Amino acid sequence: MYELVNLYPNGGKEMLHFFHSLFPLSKPVMVYVLENTRYIKVTKGKFIRSPLDNTETIYFIVKGLMRGFIRDEGVEITTWINEENNVVGSIRNLGLDVDTEEYIQALEDTLLIAISRTCLDELYDRYPETNIIGRKTLEMYYREAEERAYLCRLPSAEKRYKRLAQTRKGLIDRVRLKYLASYLGMKKETLCRIRKKFKAL
Amino acid sequence: MYELVNLYPNGGKEMLHFFHSLFPLSKPVMVYVLENTRYIKVTKGKFIRSPLDNTETIYFIVKGLMRGFIRDEGVEITTWINEENNVVGSIRNLGLDVDTEEYIQALEDTLLIAISRTCLDELYDRYPETNIIGRKTLEMYYREAEERAYLCRLPSAEKRYKRLAQTRKGLIDRVRLKYLASYLGMKKETLCRIRKKFKAL
């Protein structure tokens, strides 16, 4: 594995550990993954995807914080926020209108491992057992997407904040107010007030 | 297949066709699926899942219309609506509070095929290729869940209606106003007004 370790300063072990926890990875799979993925460093505030770049890529966050957002007539709508040890990627929107095209932005200096869709599809073809990992990963993120769809349907701003504080505690003090407010579908001032109130309790 | 045809009046072919379109099903898989799933008829308005019944089951809608909803302090929040040729099931909520437990209700007289989680897991173990189908199905529904999370974050009621009319045209005239309004996060009166306006165009 020496060369791979050189190729990957830390042997890409965070990502391999993540997948291995879902289903034991065979050595050929590990080698293929490490040889066909690459590290990407993204500075805080920079984008890894914009509507101009439509290549479909999946990213494993080694360290840092990312958000996905969509511009609706100039207004940014944050659709997801994720930290290290998560797989993120572009929502394949239904291509109905340009307004729904997605941006992905780093909210902190972030280290990612990029896996192209082509690589992923080849992995699924060559090593059928990786479909088990893909299926389990998707089961996990499907539940999270459902949680996001539920969260934003809660009628009161306070309930939405409370729900997030229960489910994603780590984000509350880590994400900038403006992004958290947009994700929670409330004004920055409202979030500010609610947060003070809960901290005071 | 004669016995199976007897077991399944129509050989369960709608469901097999759905999965087969994602990945060719081997005969043993078809036989296993047909022998381990059953038809369920649900009368309009009836529930197939309530917080009292927590068995995890996946349903294929052969004919009809279903919705998932959650009670938040007595108020029903419709989180999804699906028609025939869709796989539906319970959102595995994070079990943080009873308020978030999910109900599944038939909005029309509905014919379902029920697949228990146990059967599904055994299918994944015995026939590894079914993980490919599971993975592809989840990719499809993950995108839909993302779409739901995006839809309800659109700032204006009119935009939400317009988006639904573009993405799920079939639901607009099929689903009762009160459920559609709850799904779109708006008052029944607002939906009524917007719908009239768009029909007039």
Side-chain angles (χ1 to χ4, degrees):
Chain A
M1 296 282 289
Y2 182 71
E3 274 175 54
L4 295 179
V5 174
N6 272 357
L7 187 67
Y8 263 75
N10 62 355
K13 61 177 179 307
E14 312 88 348
M15 178 180 59
L16 295 181
H17 178 78
F18 176 87
F19 291 125
H20 197 79
S21 70
L22 298 172
F23 188 81
L25 295 172
S26 67
K27 192 168 178 187
V29 170
M30 286 196 228
V31 172
Y32 182 89
V33 169
L34 294 179
E35 281 177 342
N36 292 278
T37 57
R38 62 190 199 285
Y39 269 118
I40 294 178
K41 283 185 180 184
V42 197
T43 318
K44 181 178 177 175
K46 298 283 179 208
F47 298 87
I48 54 168
R49 183 180 186 278
S50 84
L52 297 173
D53 155 35
N54 273 316
T55 55
E56 202 191 332
T57 310
I58 310 296
Y59 303 92
F60 178 83
I61 306 177
V62 178
K63 194 181 171 314
L65 189 69
M66 308 290 297
R67 73 161 179 147
F69 72 91
I70 282 158
R71 279 218 176 90
D72 178 63
E73 293 177 1
V75 180
E76 289 182 6
I77 302 169
T78 299
T79 48
W80 57 262
I81 303 173
N82 267 320
E83 68 281 81
E84 45 276 326
N85 295 314
N86 275 288
V87 177
V88 300
S90 53
I91 297 168
R92 290 209 234 142
N93 72 59
L94 306 177
L96 295 167
D97 44 68
V98 291
D99 289 348
T100 65
E101 296 223 53
E102 197 193 30
Y103 297 77
I104 299 182
Q105 185 184 31
L107 298 182
E108 296 173 0
D109 291 345
T110 300
L111 181 63
L112 301 166
I113 294 172
I115 311 168
S116 72
R117 181 76 214 187
T118 325
C119 161
L120 206 58
D121 289 338
E122 206 175 328
L123 201 58
Y124 287 141
D125 289 346
R126 278 202 201 182
Y127 310 100
E129 74 270 24
T130 58
N131 284 280
I132 298 171
I133 299 171
R135 191 255 303 170
K136 288 185 173 184
T137 308
L138 280 154
E139 279 179 350
M140 189 163 69
Y141 286 104
Y142 178 73
R143 286 195 291 275
E144 287 200 5
E146 288 285 10
E147 171 64 23
R148 289 199 292 278
Y150 166 69
L151 176 74
C152 65
R153 280 182 173 81
L154 285 171
S156 90
E158 203 165 302
K159 280 181 189 294
R160 294 197 292 279
Y161 176 86
K162 203 176 148 199
R163 179 78 185 177
L164 188 76
Q166 289 173 306
T167 54
R168 308 283 308 277
K169 202 173 181 313
L171 297 183
I172 297 290
D173 295 313
R174 187 170 175 178
V175 179
R176 276 181 63 189
L177 272 180
K178 61 187 263 195
Y179 301 130
L180 210 53
S182 151
Y183 179 68
L184 288 169
M186 59 181 76
K187 289 203 181 62
K188 206 172 133 182
E189 299 64 32
T190 316
L191 175 57
C192 215
R193 183 174 46 74
I194 294 175
R195 200 157 71 155
K196 277 208 192 80
K197 181 183 162 186
F198 276 85
K199 283 196 189 294
L201 293 177
Chain B
M1 298 279 287
Y2 182 71
E3 274 175 53
L4 296 177
V5 173
N6 273 0
L7 188 69
Y8 263 75
N10 62 355
K13 61 179 180 307
E14 313 89 349
M15 178 179 61
L16 294 180
H17 178 79
F18 175 87
F19 291 125
H20 197 78
S21 69
L22 298 171
F23 188 80
L25 295 173
S26 67
K27 192 169 177 188
V29 170
M30 286 196 227
V31 173
Y32 182 87
V33 169
L34 295 179
E35 282 177 344
N36 291 277
T37 56
R38 64 189 198 284
Y39 269 119
I40 294 178
K41 283 186 179 183
V42 196
T43 317
K44 181 178 179 177
K46 296 284 179 207
F47 299 87
I48 55 168
R49 186 184 185 276
S50 83
L52 297 175
D53 155 36
N54 273 316
T55 56
E56 204 190 331
T57 310
I58 310 297
Y59 304 91
F60 177 83
I61 306 178
V62 178
K63 192 180 171 312
L65 189 69
M66 307 289 296
R67 72 161 179 146
F69 72 92
I70 282 157
R71 281 220 176 90
D72 178 63
E73 293 180 1
V75 181
E76 289 183 6
I77 302 168
T78 299
T79 49
W80 58 262
I81 303 173
N82 268 318
E83 67 282 78
E84 44 276 327
N85 292 313
N86 275 288
V87 177
V88 300
S90 53
I91 298 168
R92 289 211 236 144
N93 72 61
L94 305 177
L96 295 167
D97 43 67
V98 289
D99 290 349
T100 65
E101 294 219 53
E102 197 194 31
Y103 298 75
I104 299 182
Q105 184 184 31
L107 299 182
E108 295 174 0
D109 291 345
T110 300
L111 181 64
L112 302 166
I113 293 171
I115 310 168
S116 73
R117 181 77 215 187
T118 325
C119 162
L120 206 58
D121 289 338
E122 204 174 328
L123 203 58
Y124 287 141
D125 289 346
R126 279 200 199 183
Y127 311 100
E129 74 271 25
T130 56
N131 284 279
I132 299 173
I133 299 172
R135 193 253 303 167
K136 289 185 172 184
T137 308
L138 280 155
E139 280 179 349
M140 189 163 68
Y141 286 104
Y142 178 73
R143 287 196 291 276
E144 287 198 6
E146 288 287 11
E147 170 65 23
R148 287 199 291 277
Y150 166 68
L151 175 74
C152 65
R153 280 182 173 81
L154 285 171
S156 89
E158 203 165 302
K159 279 181 190 295
R160 294 197 293 279
Y161 176 87
K162 203 176 148 201
R163 178 79 185 175
L164 188 76
Q166 289 173 309
T167 53
R168 309 282 308 277
K169 202 172 182 312
L171 296 184
I172 297 291
D173 295 311
R174 188 170 174 178
V175 179
R176 275 181 65 189
L177 272 180
K178 62 186 263 193
Y179 301 129
L180 211 53
S182 150
Y183 179 68
L184 288 168
M186 60 181 75
K187 289 202 181 63
K188 207 172 134 184
E189 298 67 31
T190 316
L191 175 58
C192 215
R193 185 175 45 72
I194 295 173
R195 199 157 73 155
K196 276 207 194 77
K197 182 184 162 186
F198 276 85
K199 283 194 189 295
L201 293 178

